Amino acid sequence: MPDHWITFGTFKEQDYYRYPADNEYKGIVFNANMVSHAPGGLAGFLLGKINPKSLYIIDPMTHAFQHNLGHIGNSKGEIKSSIDKLLTTYGSLVENPIRGEGRPLNPKDFEDNKRVDEFVRNVLEFQTESLTKAQKEHEYAKYLLGDDINRPYALLLPYLYFKQSTWELWKTPQEKIFQSFVQLNREGLEVERFFAAIVISADLLGEEEFTEWVADLLVQSGVEGAVLWVDDFDENSASIDYLRGLRDLVRRIRNINDDFELINLHGGYFSILISSAENRETGFTGVAHGPEFGEFRSVIPVGGGIPVAKFYLMDLHARLKYKEAVRIFSKFGWLESADVFHQSVCDCPTCREALDGDSANFVKFGISESKKIQRGGGVVTMEYPTSVTRVLCLKHYLYKKGEEFKMANELSNDQLMSMMEATIGRYQESIGLDEVGNLRQWLKAING
Amino acid sequence: MVTGKKRNVPEHKLVDTLFGYLQLRDYRVLREVPNMGQSVDLVAIKNRWVYCIEVKISDWRRAIEQCRAHEAVADLIYLAMPESKPSQELVNTLETYGYGLILVVDGKIKMFRRAKRNRLVWKPQRKVFMTKLNTVVDA
């Protein structure tokens, strides 16, 4: 523990889901809108680009229909086509209010039990069928032995987004979803593992009433596990109370039974720390992140976002803007030579190849090109990292994340804490207390 | 907090004023030069010295953050503001980092504080910066 999961970003990174090692990732998480939009492409990815033993889960993104429709619209004000397809697939419970009445879901839409049953069935069938069918139809299918199609590791029940101000209003609809699932005839679903999805705002962390309600629901439903997504939860800047709230929520859910799986869909090093080998019974069983982003993610907007290339500094367990990395490394003299850089910053294959014996080549992690874009009625020039820079930053990041999971699985808690304390000691005098603030918070949240 | 008299001048006007002032004094001057993911409002070059100038109407703290990125490439770093009397907090911060301050009021330029020579230039990044600089069209 924890297992290393990764969320699928775009097809641009598809060559890197076997990096740094073929078996690095236990599984991949796909978003339903991507599955809906490009099933053939994802089928090719599953059949040809990743380790065939990789597992996958599809996030059905049912929270998307709760929000202001502007969050699922395109620039013309229409529902994005990938989301529109999901409306048709998921059925009248979501289709009627959104297409028919032009409004988001509200709790009353769950009053019709038949509609709820249809919704639950459709959401589960979408997950079990969409990529299965796409793989069978793909040209690579002829190379498969027998029925060697890669099916989802688990199916996620439809879920709603909960925040402190409205969670009590969405309780009954979510309970109805679970009740429908319990009574569901699962014949034909071809997958036997079912997970819940707990998608919440951070202000519910530490809310005991909510936590107990979730735990009871999970027990009563008989699901084998859950995925967790805390809205826009950046572990590098979260308060101690929220960090402790996350830790306690995870403990409570894992307390359901020894085999209950819990995967953080968007987690960073704190999630890995609380799930280390010594914490295997109380931490996450898996932590997922995106390819060089996605250690935290906002519930809205739904999908999208352009990741910015940054340099992942292992000591701080944080992605740094290139200019910050240069500033810090210059301050410490780590750019004086390649040897010093590799000893003090990073010795990974990507950094070795990029520097090629000359620390001046660290500039490769920050090369950008100018593009003119329309903004606010005028044209502005923006700097974007080149594709070479993006790949360097990505490969370095994935390598370092692999090391973090390895450390968590092999080192004791004392060793992991000592490493962070040593980093604080080394950095804070030279670059300030703020730069190591995240490490201080984590130590307090874990030890307190 | 800045305590001096504030002028409601658009930022680009300040940039224009400074641009003209520096050009008259035989600096090679360029606007909006890319540097590590952001742009420098003004870059002035004379002989072998490279000056980076961030122009701000207000929010000098943001300007200081922007200036920090220029430490890797510039010999001298300045902040320019439309203030007649900058606050002590601003002055102290400039002292800490060694940045200079230029005041631009009613079209007049005043060198309030000279920048100290920046010793944190990283030559490889300076080389990249100079290459980028040469792709920016002189206005």
Side-chain angles (χ1 to χ4, degrees), chain A residues 375-426:
Chain A
R375 181 180 280 183
V379 174
V380 295
T381 303
M382 300 283 291
E383 293 290 305
Y384 292 98
T386 62
S387 53
V388 170
T389 293
R390 276 205 309 271
V391 167
L392 280 179
C393 291
L394 169 61
K395 287 172 72 174
H396 164 79
Y397 171 80
L398 292 176
Y399 197 93
K400 294 286 111 177
K401 293 307 292 185
E403 281 188 352
E404 283 180 349
F405 279 84
K406 195 162 180 279
M407 274 167 31
N409 282 310
E410 292 177 359
L411 300 181
S412 68
N413 282 350
D414 281 348
Q415 285 172 309
L416 294 169
M417 300 304 124
S418 294
M419 287 171 79
M420 288 197 294
E421 281 161 2
T423 298
I424 291 170
R426 187 163 62 247

Side-chain angles (χ1 to χ4, degrees), chain A residues 322-323 326-327 330-331 335-336 359-363 366-370 381 383 435, chain B residues 32 34-39 62 65-66 68-69 71-72 120-122 124-125 128 132:
Chain A
Y322 171 73
K323 59 185 178 183
V326 168
R327 185 170 58 81
S330 293
K331 182 91 180 173
L335 294 172
E336 282 171 9
S359 58
N361 287 324
F362 183 69
V363 296
I367 305 286
S368 60
E369 54 199 0
S370 304
T381 303
E383 293 290 305
E435 305 284 356
Chain B
E32 298 290 326
N35 180 34
M36 295 191 286
Q38 62 184 70
S39 287
R62 170 105 178 93
E65 272 309 304
Q66 289 171 325
R68 300 204 68 194
E71 288 175 3
L120 298 174
V121 173
W122 183 44
Q125 197 62 48
V128 170
K132 282 265 183 189

